[in-house]
Amino acid sequence: MNNKGPFIVTSPEELVMRDVFIEMPDMCQGRVMLKYEGFNAAGSIKMKSALSIIDQMEASGELKPGCEIIESSSGNLGVALSIICAARGYKFTCVTDPASTENARYAIRATGANLIIVEERDENGGYLMTRLKTIAEMCEQNPNLIWTNQYANQANCFAHYSATGPEILEAFPEVDWLFIGAGTTGTLMGCTRFFKEHSPNTKIVAVDTEGSITFGGDTGKRYIPGLGTSRVPPICDHDEVEQVQMIAEIMTVKECRYWASKGYMFGGSTGTVLAAIREYADQIGADDTVVCISPDGGEKYLNTIYNPNWVEKNLTNLTRTPQRKFNR
């Protein structure tokens, strides 16, 4: 951000806020800083991933004028890609599912993109395999369709190796703990690789949601989009992940509502990561600096996380206790 004068942009792609941090009080003995990505043009950290993916595919020649783009997304990446595609003149189709928020769907459609909502759950209880099957069928029928494949595209990781990780260390040269939510694991993998090279003493905790199988957890229904998968993303390297904290979705809701009562509206992924910090509070020292990443704000979740009727219908029976898992 430019603090010396007006921040003028000529494209929505330039609206990426890189140095916004919120100090979170009373979470543990240490100092907790939340890297907030909700001010980006797409309203989430996925703007970085989408830009990196599209730039890389254009540079390689895989993506040319006239191509059509398709992607599977629970919401945020779909919104980001819809904005970039609108700015660059590509037709875009987003394949999503009922767990995506209405706000995300409206935003995608507003750019002129095509939105497909699959209804059938896969064998793992999620929708991912159904979404991917739909994309495969559509690409077979239309050779002009290009799948950006955020789950296997290393440009997803590179966005955070080259941007998010350096932004954190520039702001806080000594980070003792780094908590990162795991969805596609692009943010997790990119930041982990950067920190292992430039701040190897930082303890990194991957945060996942119960019902996700990314790190070997039991499969189950998940209602809050953003974190977790029903298939391990190809870009996820388990050997690089040392600590994983699983969080029940009801704890995500409680954390989000707590901070809303303090004036902060956070999205589900943020609530999950903050809940994970509380699980580690007894290990965090008084002089420790803790950084966590907030992928988006809470506006998209007013009809779900912040809606008492929705929570009562979907989550009141989810009382499982979070279990910490050490991969090695």
Side-chain angles (χ1 to χ4, degrees), residues 35-57:
K35 190 179 195 307
Y36 185 69
E37 299 279 349
F39 292 141
N40 296 334
S44 80
I45 198 171
K46 291 294 186 177
M47 194 67 180
K48 293 177 178 177
S49 299
L51 280 168
S52 179
I53 289 171
I54 295 299
D55 285 345
Q56 184 276 328
M57 294 180 77

